[in-house]
Amino acid sequence: MKLTVLAPAKLNLFLDITGKRSDGYHIVNMVMQAVSLYDEVTVGLTDNDIRIECSDKEIPCDETNTAYRAAKAFFEAVGGDRGAVIRIKKRIPSQAGMAGGSTDAAAVLWALNELTGASLPLEKLADIAETIGADVPFCLYGGTMTAGGIGTILSPLPDMPECAVVVVQPDVRISTAQAYRLSDEKGYDATADAEQVIGGIAEGCLKDIGAGLYNKFEKIVEIPEIESVKETMMNAGAVGACLTGSGSAVFGLFEDRSMAEDCADLLEKKYDRVYVVKPVSTGPVRK
């Protein structure tokens, strides 16, 4: 028996870094949103080992893969000598700040909970998810949420208003480790307030959300290509544009889908990885 799950990407509508713990984890203030760009994760039960297969040959399929770690953590939590074969069809770009690995891990937890009949409540799955990575609990819940602490203290928000979102991954790569090292050098004074984004979500006002978009990493990494993409989006009618995660994907919010598609057509002349998506209110779902 096997189960195929759609695992949504995430975007950061707001991201500030406010401190660093003694164990090396950074303290963040974020607003996160799941969007309709999905990896496809197929999970089947086996009698013993865990095996990963992935359509992206650059992604390791060994014990370092978050999907592998998710399966291992699940079986350790529920007991029993079981294994799984996990096939991942990648659509979410890697090294983009869109939680591609974390959402695959969340999908594995969700699928194994169904396949084994363990029927763990979502809160228990989230406890397991937290041991895998800071973004995995959010990816399990999906929707629209604030995130504090190291990113695992989650509070749900109302659904984001309907809109079209253009996502572009420029031909640059940003090392997450290097981005955080640079943030350490610059210090941790709070530099922005998430209230405009949160208020815009509560009021269903996309323009307020767009005006409040913020990502501290933009100030830290200072890559001209990111600013160029944002400028193109704003000139094409976006109500706001921002980097997500530590990058390198950039997104723009559009009230009108046809304007979003026109913007995407323009960006596709220069970039290979361009997507038009929308906010979604769930985490992993059965295909």
Side-chain angles (χ1 to χ4, degrees):
M1 183 179 177
K2 62 184 180 180
L3 181 62
T4 299
V5 178
L6 298 178
K10 68 88 180 167
L11 298 175
N12 292 97
L13 305 178
F14 185 92
L15 191 162
D16 198 9
I17 308 160
T18 59
K20 186 178 181 180
R21 302 194 319 190
S22 58
D23 61 5
Y25 282 98
H26 289 81
I27 302 168
V28 294
N29 177 21
M30 301 189 294
V31 180
M32 297 199 285
Q33 175 64 53
V35 294
S36 62
L37 178 60
Y38 299 100
D39 280 353
E40 191 173 297
V41 182
T42 301
V43 181
L45 293 176
T46 64
D47 291 331
N48 40 52
D49 62 343
I50 299 166
R51 189 170 78 252
I52 306 290
E53 300 172 8
C54 185
S55 62
D56 185 339
K57 301 306 180 186
E58 294 185 2
I59 293 176
C61 292
D62 57 17
E63 295 180 4
T64 64
N65 189 294
T66 53
Y68 183 103
R69 290 164 53 210
K72 186 172 184 290
F74 180 86
F75 291 130
E76 287 175 349
V78 301
D81 187 18
R82 302 296 298 271
V85 57
I86 300 163
R87 296 183 174 89
I88 304 169
K89 184 182 292 185
K90 291 298 292 182
R91 295 192 179 96
I92 302 168
S94 60
Q95 295 182 300
M98 300 182 73
S102 294
T103 197
D104 294 343
V108 168
L109 292 177
W110 192 92
L112 288 175
N113 198 40
E114 294 285 314
L115 287 168
T116 62
S119 300
L120 299 178
L122 203 55
E123 294 79 7
K124 176 59 178 176
L125 281 182
D127 289 340
I128 300 171
E130 189 172 339
T131 69
I132 302 161
D135 280 345
V136 183
F138 168 76
C139 291
L140 191 63
Y141 286 104
T144 312
M145 287 192 163
T146 63
I150 63 169
T152 58
I153 302 173
L154 302 173
S155 296
L157 292 170
D159 289 346
M160 190 173 170
E162 289 187 14
C163 63
V165 186
V166 177
V167 182
V168 180
Q169 186 183 32
D171 297 323
V172 296
R173 291 293 182 271
I174 299 171
S175 162
T176 299
Q178 175 65 9
Y180 273 107
R181 277 195 295 271
L182 290 171
S183 76
D184 293 342
E185 293 172 7
K186 290 182 179 290
Y188 299 114
D189 291 337
T191 53
D193 193 324
E195 288 309 310
Q196 184 161 8
V197 169
I198 294 171
I201 291 168
E203 297 295 327
C205 180
L206 192 68
K207 287 182 179 178
D208 284 352
I209 297 170
L213 295 178
Y214 175 80
N215 188 327
K216 190 172 187 177
F217 283 119
E218 288 185 10
K219 312 297 182 185
I220 294 170
V221 298
E222 295 181 336
I223 295 176
E225 191 81 1
I226 291 169
E227 292 304 315
S228 175
V229 172
K230 288 174 60 181
E231 183 178 358
T232 298
M233 289 175 168
M234 295 301 292
N235 288 340
V239 300
C242 194
L243 185 74
T244 183
S246 60
S248 58
V250 180
F251 67 95
L253 305 179
F254 290 80
E255 293 180 304
D256 184 275
R257 186 173 180 89
S258 64
M259 292 179 69
E261 290 172 347
D262 288 345
C263 178
D265 289 343
L266 183 64
L267 289 163
E268 282 173 350
K269 295 176 181 177
K270 186 174 182 180
Y271 303 107
D272 294 330
R273 293 173 292 277
V274 181
Y275 315 89
V276 180
V277 298
K278 63 181 181 180
V280 295
S281 59
T282 65
V285 292
R286 187 187 298 261
K287 183 179 177 184

